[in-house]
Amino acid sequence: MTAPRIQGGFSFLEGPVWVADGGYLLMSDMAAGTGPYNVQPSTIRRFTPPATFDTFIANAGSNGLALSADAQQVVAATHDQRSVSAYRLSDRTRSTIAANYQGRAFNSPNDVAVRSDGVVYFTDPNFQRGNRADQMSGRTSVFRVSGGQVSLVDDRLRQPNGIALSPDGTALYVGAYSENKIYKYAVQPDGSTGARSVFVNYIGGPDGATIDCAGNVYWASGSDSLVHVYSPAGTQLGTIRAGTSGTTNVAFGGPDRQTLYVTSGPRNDSGLYSVRLNIPGYPY
């Protein structure tokens, strides 16, 4: 299956998220690193179907995006401040969800997932840390934020990247980019995580991910430019191609949530692609 391109020519698109109330898609567009610390500027762009693109938040500093549990804010992995932030959709004001872990700066938060009760999970590789000092002792980790408290989920992963929750909130999936593995964690009712298992031994560098209403997992691959689709048991169901290089992330959207949006393409010609599927994404 192939997803046609809607528009290209962007710097480097990431983190698509559908905002149902407004009927639009938000995504991060990251430029090349700049300044003494070589930090990548990022703009949140808005796509309103069928063909309108505009700037939603300039200088957002964001990579991965997700909706808050009440759908009033976009939760953003923000590498500009090495934090996790929330931007209120109504007035685009910014607040901080996670500033540090035990007083130490994160590397460069990359992607986020939000449970229906508001618990936030995020990955912290070092891809956008630039020249800023490492305060994590070489570790790249997954964290959880609950009730304003930041807790460690796992610091054994090499470059954790995409992250997603099962529809019932009992399983957390994390792609370890530098291991070519997707891990699965049992999630307890309070949001804490239990045993870790290998969900998929992956080919091609797992980047961003999304999940449909049946619990199937859609994982974007950085190196083979495909979106790999897996059943909840980890069986590969198929692939979706978007462009020829650099597929970064995926999100369901549209009025019936049956449009899969894909961000893909080489730097400085990154594009947004879409394909209609016969199953809606979660939440529906």
Side-chain angles (χ1 to χ4, degrees), residues 219-245:
W219 221 287
S221 167
S223 42
D224 67 9
S225 302
L226 298 173
V227 177
H228 296 257
V229 187
Y230 300 98
S231 76
T235 303
Q236 182 151 330
L237 302 177
T239 59
I240 299 165
R241 176 170 292 282
T244 56
S245 68

Side-chain angles (χ1 to χ4, degrees), residues 115 117-121 142-147 151-153 165 169-172 185-194:
R115 207 167 68 158
D117 61 355
V119 178
V120 174
Y121 302 86
V142 182
F143 294 96
R144 175 180 82 254
V145 191
S146 180
S151 306
L152 177 68
V153 171
L165 283 159
T170 64
L172 179 71
Y185 300 81
V187 180
Q188 311 306 322
D190 68 353
S192 62
T193 46

Side-chain angles (χ1 to χ4, degrees), residues 17-258:
V17 62
W18 180 257
V19 181
D21 286 351
Y24 57 82
L25 185 83
L26 297 178
M27 33 192 180
S28 297
D29 188 9
M30 297 189 291
T34 186
Y37 294 111
N38 195 37
V39 177
Q40 292 179 249
S42 176
T43 299
I44 295 180
R45 303 203 184 277
R46 174 171 57 182
F47 166 64
T48 306
T52 303
F53 289 84
D54 64 351
T55 295
F56 192 72
I57 299 173
N59 302 312
S62 61
N63 189 324
L65 306 173
L67 269 189
S68 62
D70 65 3
Q72 300 303 303
Q73 301 183 93
V74 60
V75 178
T78 39
H79 56 265
D80 64 339
Q81 297 179 5
R82 301 167 77 170
S83 67
V84 177
S85 303
Y87 283 101
R88 188 173 300 281
L89 292 171
S90 59
D91 59 11
R92 305 174 201 187
T93 54
R94 181 177 185 170
S95 59
T96 299
I97 291 175
N100 58 70
Y101 176 61
Q102 297 179 345
R104 292 175 289 144
F106 300 116
N107 293 305
S108 55
N110 183 279
D111 209 351
V112 288
V114 181
R115 207 167 68 158
S116 59
D117 61 355
V119 178
V120 174
Y121 302 86
F122 68 96
T123 56
D124 186 41
N126 60 27
F127 297 134
Q128 276 82 43
R129 195 176 68 210
N131 301 328
R132 295 173 291 188
D134 172 16
Q135 295 190 22
M136 287 290 166
S137 304
R139 292 187 174 93
T140 53
S141 307
V142 182
F143 294 96
R144 175 180 82 254
V145 191
S146 180
Q149 294 295 114
V150 180
S151 306
L152 177 68
V153 171
D154 194 349
D155 63 0
R156 300 169 291 165
L157 286 77
R158 287 170 36 226
Q159 304 295 16
N161 198 326
I163 190 166
L165 283 159
S166 63
D168 64 3
T170 64
L172 179 71
Y173 301 93
V174 180
Y177 188 85
S178 294
E179 299 177 42
N180 278 331
K181 285 182 169 63
I182 299 171
Y183 290 107
K184 181 179 181 178
Y185 300 81
V187 180
Q188 311 306 322
D190 68 353
S192 62
T193 46
R196 180 183 92 173
S197 58
V198 175
F199 178 63
V200 172
N201 280 306
Y202 193 90
I203 305 297
D207 203 325
T210 194
I211 289 189
D212 67 24
C213 281
N216 300 311
V217 180
Y218 298 68
W219 221 287
S221 167
S223 42
D224 67 9
S225 302
L226 298 173
V227 177
H228 296 257
V229 187
Y230 300 98
S231 76
T235 303
Q236 182 151 330
L237 302 177
T239 59
I240 299 165
R241 176 170 292 282
T244 56
S245 68
T247 298
T248 59
N249 217 321
V250 283
F252 278 94
D256 56 8
R257 296 194 79 89
Q258 286 183 221

